[in-house]
């Protein structure tokens, strides 16, 4: 029955696209006649005719959007009543088929051509002076017709593809997977400031560099202070331990400000890196650990994510979220690379500068320059009050019967659709043990944990274990390679850089190929098995223990953990 209804929707969409295309073609013939004579009243008439077509296209987009919501809610209700996740099967079998009709609904294939035709012709009529250049020859052309703006906003809301950018955005834990309501705009474009966004991405990049820049030399640094080389695991992990606490107060602080937490983060990271660098001259492992703890207490990644979620317009949030993940991956690769080239040994006024202390000095200088840049360029956005924000639903969107003509009715219509949406969400919240106020703030980790389903708790445990395996591999790489293979700091750095550079390609392969070919549980199970095999192959069981065995097993472990993540 659902297949039949979707087929009706798609055929109706195609029919209406054809009608709109025919109307545009007729207007194009009238527009061609203007090439010989300049008639301002006829130009104005043509512009209005194109705008009427644009408004009709807008109604068609709203029609598709309401039906997309209807399909999603029908499947959601079916899952709840049947007690089986049928949605996953239905969506995968319908979207991966070469004759997919569901793709037409969720990816609105073909509507882009109609939007392009209207935009191009309106732009040409706007400055009709016999020019032969079009919007395609001038991509940066600032043409802003209100109808085109409305259509673009509707298309942005409706777009819900499985592209690489979407996958990376979800990987950053920023993109909302729920299809937004027609008039739901959570972000005001006036709050968006490019330089402030860039500063957040640079903060993410520098923090990841700061985390991994000490990995190749941490064992040597520990030994120089009289500790065992394996203490490097504690030195590296201290930053992550402190981040547990910093994420809590930075998350709360970002409710009131973004600028002040970033300033505080930069100062704390500057101090932490100075302490890390001076630990050598103080000959104190305590100062070394305190320096790393300070660096962890300055982690503002929660603020970076929150800024993107709150202050970046919806139409570019996918790209920005992908940039967030890319900045993290690039920082992870650049950290060991920078450490590999810092091979010096001299003193400046009784302060030792060598391969162990120089990473701390370099990062301290980097954070100082970042602090100055932040103070000059960051613009504090106004904060939205979630309590006072109630998205409005436009009940007039479906009242017009210009497009429907009584042939095809939406699966959910008008205000009833909105009411069903609300009722359904409340039902789902209650059935899963949620309170009636599902958007009430959670004030403790324990309260948040109680809201999790058993499946999510299992996934969190898996996430903990994959991070556990990954960090062991990275933290102990310098110890193992120097003990068995006598690698230098530069060689360890090259190995870690190669591991870090696999992050983005792996995400691309999983997001665009593997994730569309297999079920999530199959990918989870296969990647868990590969992580286990990679760890097992890493053990020194067979003589001799070779570089090939270590590198291959480390690569399998790291890449499999990335897939699992």
């Amino acid at each position: 029955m659902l297949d039949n209804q979707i087929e009706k929707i798609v055929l109706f969409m195609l029919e209406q696209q054809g009608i709109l295309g025919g109307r545009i073609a007729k207007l194009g013939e009238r527009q061609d006649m203007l090439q010989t004579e300049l008639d301002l009243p006829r130009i104005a008439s043509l512009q209005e005719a194109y705008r009427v077509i644009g408004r009709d296209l807008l109604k068609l987009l709203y029609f598709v959007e309401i039906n997309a919501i209807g399909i999603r809610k029908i499947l959601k209700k079916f899952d709840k009543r049947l007690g089986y996740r049928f949605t996953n099967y239905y969506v995968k079998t319908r979207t991966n088929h070469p004759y997919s009709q569901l793709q037409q609904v969720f990816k609105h294939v073909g509507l882009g051509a109609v939007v392009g035709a209207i935009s191009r012709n309106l732009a040409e009529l706007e400055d009709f002076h016999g020019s032969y250049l079009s919007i395609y020859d001038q991509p940066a052309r600032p043409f802003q017709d209100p109808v085109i703006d409305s259509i673009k906003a509707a298309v942005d809301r409706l777009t819900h593809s499985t592209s690489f950018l979407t996958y990376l955005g979800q990987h950053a834990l920023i993109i909302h997977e729920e299809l937004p309501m027609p008039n739901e705009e959570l972000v005001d474009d006036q709050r968006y400031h490019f330089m402030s966004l860039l500063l957040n991405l640079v903060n993410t990049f520098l923090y990841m560099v700061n985390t991994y820049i000490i990995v190749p030399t941490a064992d040597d640094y520990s030994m120089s202070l009289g500790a065992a080389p394996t203490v490097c695991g504690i030195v590296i992990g201290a930053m992550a331990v402190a981040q547990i606490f910093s994420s809590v107060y930075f998350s709360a602080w970002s409710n009131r400000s973004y600028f002040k937490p970033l300033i505080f983060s930069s100062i704390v990271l500057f101090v932490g890196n100075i302490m890390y660098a001076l630990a050598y001259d103080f000959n104190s492992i305590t100062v070394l650990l305190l320096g790393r703890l300070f660096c962890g207490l300055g982690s503002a990644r929660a603020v970076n994510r929150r800024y993107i979620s709150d202050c970046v317009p919806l139409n570019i949030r996918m790209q920005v979220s992908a940039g967030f993940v890319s900045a993290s991956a690039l920082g992870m690769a650049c950290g060991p690379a920078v450490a590999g080239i810092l091979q010096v040994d001299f003193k400046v006024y009784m302060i030792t500068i060598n391969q162990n202390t120089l990473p701390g000095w370099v990062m301290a200088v980097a954070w100082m320059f970042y602090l100055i840049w932040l103070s000059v360029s960051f613009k504090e956005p106004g904060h939205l009050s979630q309590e006072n924000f109630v998205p409005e639903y436009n009940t007039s969107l479906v009242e017009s019967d210009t497009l429907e003509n009584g042939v095809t009715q939406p699966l959910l219509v008008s205000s009833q659709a909105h009411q069903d949406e609300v009722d359904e969400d409340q039902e789902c919240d209650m059935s899963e043990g949620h309170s009636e106020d599902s958007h009430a703030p959670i004030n403790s980790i324990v309260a948040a944990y109680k809201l999790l389903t058993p499946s999510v708790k299992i996934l969190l445990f898996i996430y903990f274990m994959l991070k556990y395996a990954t960090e062991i591999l990275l933290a102990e790489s310098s110890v193992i390679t120097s003990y068995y293979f006598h690698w230098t700091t530069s060689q360890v750095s090259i190995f870690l850089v190669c591991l870090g550079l696999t992050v983005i390609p792996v995400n691309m392969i999983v997001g665009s190929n593997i994730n569309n070919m297999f079920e999530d549980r199959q990918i989870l199970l296969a990647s868990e098995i590969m992580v286990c095999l990679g760890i097992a192959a890493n053990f020194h069981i067979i003589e001799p223990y070779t570089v090939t065995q270590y590198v291959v097993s480390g690569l399998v472990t790291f890449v499999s953990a990335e897939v699992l993540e």
Side-chain angles (χ1 to χ4, degrees):
M1 289 175 62
L2 188 56
D3 285 340
N4 291 336
Q5 292 297 321
I6 292 174
E7 183 177 283
K8 289 181 181 179
I9 295 168
V10 171
L11 293 177
F12 179 73
M13 283 173 55
L14 295 175
E15 178 189 1
Q16 294 301 318
Q17 288 179 44
I19 294 173
L20 294 175
R23 291 166 61 185
I24 293 174
K26 291 181 180 178
L27 290 179
E29 294 174 0
R30 292 171 53 189
Q31 187 172 337
D32 290 339
M33 298 172 61
L34 294 176
Q35 298 291 341
T36 57
E37 56 176 325
L38 185 63
D39 189 338
L40 294 179
R42 289 176 62 185
I43 291 176
S45 175
L46 280 173
Q47 286 177 319
E48 185 58 32
Y50 277 119
R51 292 191 184 101
V52 170
I53 295 176
R55 285 190 282 269
D56 287 343
L57 176 61
L58 200 57
K59 294 172 186 175
L60 181 60
L61 286 170
Y62 289 148
F63 172 83
V64 176
E65 184 171 12
I66 291 173
N67 278 285
I69 295 171
I71 293 169
R72 181 167 55 85
K73 300 313 269 180
I74 287 170
L75 290 171
K76 187 176 179 182
K77 173 74 81 172
F78 191 87
D79 281 353
K80 192 186 74 166
R81 291 187 175 176
L82 191 67
Y84 176 74
R85 295 289 295 175
F86 178 74
T87 299
N88 291 340
Y89 168 80
Y90 186 86
V91 173
K92 283 183 181 293
T93 54
R94 268 58 179 179
T95 55
N96 291 333
H97 196 277
Y99 305 134
S100 171
Q101 293 180 334
L102 197 61
Q103 292 265 18
Q104 294 278 347
V105 177
F106 283 99
K107 294 192 176 182
H108 44 85
V109 182
L111 290 175
V114 181
V115 177
I118 297 174
S119 302
R120 183 184 66 83
N121 287 291
L122 273 175
E124 289 182 0
L125 289 171
E126 183 69 20
D127 55 351
F128 190 84
H129 299 294
S131 173
Y132 292 97
L133 294 178
S134 72
I135 60 172
Y136 304 114
D137 302 309
Q138 299 170 296
R141 183 187 187 127
F143 176 70
Q144 299 289 339
D145 190 281
V147 172
I148 302 302
D149 287 342
S150 299
I151 292 174
K152 287 181 178 178
V155 171
D156 288 337
R157 287 196 305 269
L158 188 55
T159 300
H160 194 62
S161 65
T162 56
S163 65
F164 177 42
L165 290 178
T166 306
Y167 181 81
L168 284 179
Q170 292 170 347
H171 186 84
L173 306 179
I174 295 168
I175 291 295
H176 302 288
E177 294 194 36
E178 288 292 317
L179 192 68
M181 299 298 291
N183 273 7
E184 187 177 353
E185 293 294 343
L186 298 179
V187 178
D188 185 356
D189 286 350
Q190 294 180 354
R191 306 179 75 224
Y192 171 63
H193 184 238
F194 174 75
M195 190 58 69
S196 301
L197 171 62
L198 182 61
L199 283 163
N200 273 276
L201 295 179
V202 171
N203 183 281
T204 298
F205 170 77
L206 286 178
Y207 184 81
M208 294 304 290
V209 172
N210 208 150
T211 301
Y212 290 100
I213 194 173
I214 71 157
V215 172
T217 58
D219 59 331
D220 289 339
Y221 205 166
S222 301
M223 291 175 63
S224 67
L225 299 180
T230 49
V231 173
C232 70
I234 300 175
V235 175
I236 296 170
M239 195 167 174
V241 171
Q243 190 177 345
I244 297 175
F245 303 98
S246 65
S247 61
V248 175
Y249 60 75
F250 273 122
S251 295
W253 201 351
S254 63
N255 289 329
R256 298 184 298 274
S257 173
Y258 299 104
F259 178 66
K260 292 178 181 178
L262 290 176
I263 289 287
F264 177 78
S265 165
S266 304
I267 294 173
V268 172
L269 282 159
F270 173 79
V271 173
N273 281 288
I274 293 291
M275 293 175 66
Y276 180 86
L278 291 176
Y280 188 89
D281 294 305
F282 282 108
N283 194 29
S284 171
I285 191 70
T286 303
V287 175
L288 185 72
L289 291 172
L290 285 175
R292 288 295 286 179
L293 284 171
F294 261 74
C295 289
L297 292 174
S299 170
R301 285 173 66 80
V303 180
N304 303 144
R305 283 195 180 100
R306 177 72 179 271
Y307 184 89
I308 294 174
S309 178
D310 287 357
C311 303
V312 174
L314 191 62
N315 59 337
I316 63 169
R317 198 179 301 162
M318 286 183 191
Q319 292 89 331
V320 173
S321 302
F324 176 86
V325 175
S326 300
S328 301
L330 188 61
M332 181 181 177
C334 287
V338 173
I341 62 176
L342 300 179
Q343 305 298 308
V344 296
D345 191 359
F346 60 92
K347 283 196 173 185
V348 178
Y349 298 110
M350 305 303 292
I351 296 176
T352 304
I353 306 294
N354 57 27
Q355 66 175 11
N356 296 327
T357 63
L358 196 51
W361 292 116
V362 168
M363 292 312 304
V365 172
W367 285 113
M368 181 182 68
F369 280 108
Y370 175 80
L371 181 61
I372 296 171
W373 184 19
L374 181 70
S375 303
V376 172
S377 302
F378 191 88
K379 179 182 178 182
E380 180 76 87
H383 277 62
L384 291 176
S385 174
Q386 289 290 346
E387 294 177 0
N388 298 330
F389 179 76
V390 180
E392 297 178 358
Y393 188 84
N394 192 344
T395 57
S396 65
L397 298 178
V398 198
E399 290 175 2
S400 174
D401 58 354
T402 305
L403 290 172
E404 286 78 359
N405 291 324
V407 177
T408 305
Q409 293 297 327
L411 296 180
L412 293 178
V413 294
S414 195
S415 60
Q416 183 61 35
H418 180 49
Q419 187 59 41
D420 287 349
E421 177 91 1
V422 174
D423 294 343
E424 188 76 18
D425 287 337
Q426 289 179 347
E427 260 184 59
C428 210
D429 289 341
M430 295 300 292
S431 66
E432 294 176 4
H434 294 187
S435 64
E436 290 187 9
D437 186 6
S438 61
H439 296 285
I442 303 300
N443 298 318
S444 69
I445 296 178
V446 176
Y449 185 77
K450 289 180 180 179
L451 293 178
L452 301 179
T453 63
S455 297
V456 176
K457 292 177 182 177
I458 292 172
L459 290 176
L460 285 176
F461 176 73
I462 295 174
Y463 188 77
F464 170 82
M465 291 306 299
L466 74 89
K467 282 296 183 183
Y468 184 68
T470 303
E471 293 303 322
I472 284 181
L473 173 67
L474 298 176
E476 299 300 327
S477 58
S478 58
V479 177
I480 293 175
T481 54
S482 62
Y483 180 80
Y484 284 105
F485 316 126
H486 307 290
W487 279 8
T488 63
T489 300
S490 298
Q491 290 173 307
V492 177
S493 300
I494 292 172
F495 172 67
L496 294 175
V497 168
C498 292
L499 288 181
L501 290 176
T502 64
V503 173
I504 293 179
V506 167
N507 282 334
M508 181 165 56
I509 293 171
V510 174
S512 59
N513 295 314
I514 297 178
N515 201 42
N516 293 328
M517 296 167 59
F518 303 98
E519 293 183 2
D520 290 344
R521 65 177 68 231
Q522 294 174 327
I523 301 175
L524 288 172
L525 182 60
S527 52
E528 285 173 21
I529 293 173
M530 292 304 297
V531 170
C532 290
L533 291 176
I535 293 172
N538 203 282
F539 281 103
H540 181 195
I541 300 175
I542 303 174
E543 292 288 351
Y545 189 59
T546 64
V547 173
T548 303
Q549 178 185 347
Y550 175 75
V551 171
V552 172
S553 61
L555 190 62
V556 170
T557 302
F558 187 83
V559 170
S560 301
E562 277 299 311
V563 174
L564 185 61
E565 186 174 351

